Amino acid sequence: MKRFATFMVLAIVYWSCSQPKLKMEEFVTNEFAAFPDSRFVDIYKSFFQDAYGPGHIIPDTAHAGIWVDEELKTEEWPDTVRWQATGVEHDYYRINLVLVKNGTIPRDTLLLAMLESANLARKPEISEFKKQVNELYEAVKKHHPLLPDLEKDKAAIDAQLEKGKVMMHHSEHYLQTYQRRYRIIHRSVFERWQNAFLRQK
């Protein structure tokens, strides 16, 4: 009986330790499945958006509206992914601006949602986030050891984190390949929208 109890304790400890690692690897696998030409900085961008939200780009709705309006002028829209969960925890969703352009989501509704979403981020301490980024790097390196610019991107991200900053832009290769235009909203907003706007789309 004692041996069984010990085994169960060890099994529970192993399971609890392995779950975050499995979730990280699942996230990496899903990202590369959806966007195989991603670079490490692109995977990282989804990861930090999940943790810190859109606050870094929203001083107010007026500024956010100007940037959205500029992107809505675009005629070609090759990106067909309407929405996509970010990171490991899926706290935020990337919303394709085509849904605003085609009238599915009202422009002002998006801007207000972005402002609301900025205040809902987890915002982990930088020291803890650094550890998570290292785990992300290990997961990417394990499955994509020959990924172009892997070490260069990791060094650039580390340099930002040392300054207490988390934001990084998509790689130029990603931008040119996928031409994505999106904004991120908190999952609580997305869940509301599923009933209000997205259910029949």
Side-chain angles (χ1 to χ4, degrees), residues 14 17-34 40 43 47 87-90 132-144:
Y14 175 79
C17 291
S18 64
Q19 281 302 103
K21 184 177 180 180
L22 290 174
K23 287 177 69 176
M24 185 74 78
E25 295 199 2
E26 181 182 16
F27 161 60
V28 169
T29 298
N30 290 340
E31 280 293 309
F32 278 106
F40 181 62
I43 306 300
F47 192 72
V88 174
E89 301 300 329
H90 307 328
Q132 296 171 9
V133 172
N134 287 334
E135 292 168 3
L136 174 66
Y137 167 75
E138 293 300 329
V140 171
K141 188 173 183 180
K142 175 181 176 180
H143 295 283
H144 302 272

Side-chain angles (χ1 to χ4, degrees), residues 79-123:
D79 179 20
T80 59
V81 179
R82 292 178 298 169
W83 55 78
Q84 175 199 15
T86 60
V88 174
E89 301 300 329
H90 307 328
D91 276 355
Y92 285 86
Y93 278 76
R94 291 172 170 176
I95 300 296
N96 193 328
L97 288 181
V98 74
L99 294 173
V100 178
K101 190 177 180 69
N102 67 19
T104 300
I105 299 171
R107 169 190 176 276
D108 290 349
T109 297
L110 173 70
L111 297 180
L112 291 173
M114 291 167 61
L115 202 61
E116 175 186 350
S117 297
N119 298 318
L120 298 175
R122 297 192 314 273
K123 296 182 180 178

